[in-house]
Amino acid sequence: MRSATIRQLQIFSVAASHLSFARAAEKLHLTHAAISLQIKQLEEVSGTLLFERIGKRVFLTEAGEILLSHTRQILQSLKEADEALLALKGLKGGRIAVAVTSTAEYFAPELLAEFRKTQADVRIRMLIDNRDTVSRLLAGNEVDLAIMGRPPDELDAVAVAFAPHPLVIIASAAHPLSRLPSVAVEDLVDEMLIVRESGSGTRSAMEEFFLERSVKPRIGMEMGSNEAIKQAVVAGLGISFISQHTLGLELKAERLSILKVEGTPVMRRWHIVRHKSKHLTPALAAFWDFVVEVAPAQLRKLV
């Protein structure tokens, strides 16, 4: 393996994480042929196959799994060395890759903007996706930190809760239930429910809420974004279970109403999360502390 290049290991890591040469080519802005050539050369250097194709799917071989584990350690060590050398040179910069769940996108950009006011030289990359994908990015060391609701159970992680996260049931302002002083959960059985996709934290919390009350909701639509759900509710297509932190504009405009359903709001917590083995560079440590200290006050503005 001494003849392997860092570039080959970088390409291998991305291809192995996605189990797709096409996705690797897209993310690295290379051609499919260039990815295949680099992987072939790495296989020649290692003296073994790293991928195998079964039908239309690509899988890592046992050798590929072993090499991926070591590759991630190597790339992380190089990243940490880069950060350490920057610190030695007296530079204030650094790089942060943070993943946020799609519900957190309503406050995360403003939070990053506030952080940049104090750490202007830090370069930040933000990825937004659902809970399952954010968990995978953390586990694969593709991001440094994550802002999410419930930390992933399957990950050996360090997580700090930094703010309450209320989840509520909403309807259009014109909906008959909006005028009631209280709503029983059973009153929702015949309502069409518009929900997030499987894999989102909001969907999991909703399913848990109804399961605890032995109520089977009538799911009519599934949507991949909070914005689409809110517009559908405004249009009168149904009701929804959603984060209160996503509702500021619609509530002010009186287009949506939070139903006074028994047992709501469902209170969860926002967390900042990192892998337990993640080394905190000066930039990461500064951002971690900033989120814990500043985010609670910012989120209070959204409820």
Side-chain angles (χ1 to χ4, degrees):
M1 292 302 300
R2 292 183 180 179
S3 300
T5 67
I6 297 300
R7 186 58 173 162
Q8 287 171 343
L9 293 178
Q10 290 171 331
I11 290 172
F12 167 70
S13 177
V14 175
S17 295
H18 294 280
L19 292 177
S20 168
F21 288 12
R23 286 292 305 279
E26 179 183 337
K27 291 185 73 69
L28 296 172
H29 305 290
L30 297 171
T31 64
H32 191 286
I35 296 291
S36 298
L37 176 61
Q38 292 294 327
I39 296 298
K40 181 179 179 182
Q41 290 176 347
L42 187 59
E43 289 178 331
E44 291 174 354
V45 168
S46 64
T48 184
L49 286 176
L50 301 174
F51 294 92
E52 59 182 351
R53 184 177 295 276
I54 300 177
K56 295 183 178 180
R57 299 183 61 187
V58 174
F59 298 87
L60 280 174
T61 63
E62 184 178 1
E65 295 278 3
I66 293 172
L67 182 58
L68 179 59
S69 175
H70 289 284
T71 294
R72 285 173 172 166
Q73 294 177 32
I74 291 168
L75 296 178
Q76 179 62 25
S77 293
L78 288 171
K79 181 180 177 182
E80 291 172 4
D82 186 36
E83 298 287 355
L85 290 172
L86 287 174
L88 282 175
K89 294 175 182 178
L91 300 178
K92 296 180 180 179
R95 293 188 296 266
I96 298 173
V98 56
V100 303
T101 53
S102 50
T103 299
E105 70 177 311
Y106 289 85
F107 64 86
E110 184 178 345
L111 192 63
L112 267 59
E114 287 296 316
F115 177 72
R116 286 293 303 276
K117 291 178 182 178
T118 60
Q119 302 288 341
D121 296 326
V122 174
R123 287 175 288 169
I124 301 175
R125 180 168 63 98
M126 185 174 73
L127 295 87
I128 302 171
D129 217 309
N130 66 24
R131 181 181 182 276
D132 278 1
T133 300
V134 168
S135 298
R136 180 182 61 76
L137 292 172
L138 269 178
N141 197 36
E142 295 180 59
V143 295
D144 302 308
L145 309 169
I147 294 175
M148 60 197 307
R150 189 177 77 252
D153 298 327
E154 67 279 6
L155 185 67
D156 191 10
V158 176
V160 174
F162 62 83
H165 180 199
L167 295 145
V168 296
I169 297 177
I170 59 170
S172 72
H175 196 288
L177 292 178
S178 296
R179 296 188 288 272
L180 297 182
S182 65
V183 179
V185 178
E186 290 75 16
D187 293 336
L188 304 178
V189 172
D190 294 329
E191 298 293 330
M192 191 71 74
L193 200 63
I194 305 169
V195 300
R196 285 291 305 273
E197 78 285 4
S198 296
S200 77
T202 302
R203 175 69 173 267
S204 298
M206 181 213 74
E207 291 173 345
E208 185 177 324
F209 172 80
F210 285 108
L211 182 62
E212 288 175 350
R213 290 157 179 79
S214 301
V215 171
K216 186 175 182 180
R218 183 185 172 203
I219 296 177
M221 295 184 184
E222 183 177 286
M223 297 184 175
S225 78
N226 294 308
E227 285 302 309
I229 287 176
K230 289 189 294 181
Q231 293 307 313
V233 174
V234 168
L237 296 178
I239 65 174
S240 186
F241 184 99
I242 198 168
S243 168
Q244 190 171 343
H245 287 148
T246 69
L247 301 175
L249 294 176
E250 289 79 11
L251 291 178
K252 288 179 181 177
E254 298 183 348
R255 302 180 72 199
L256 288 175
S257 176
I258 296 176
L259 300 183
K260 299 177 180 64
V261 179
E262 297 172 359
T264 65
V266 175
M267 296 305 297
R268 294 291 189 265
R269 302 283 292 176
W270 285 112
H271 293 80
I272 184 168
V273 187
R274 72 176 189 268
H275 197 284
K276 190 175 182 180
S277 61
K278 168 64 67 175
H279 170 70
L280 282 182
T281 64
L284 292 179
F287 183 71
W288 183 280
D289 292 340
F290 178 85
V291 170
V292 173
E293 294 170 7
V294 175
Q298 182 182 341
L299 283 167
R300 281 196 291 271
K301 301 175 186 177
L302 298 179
V303 295

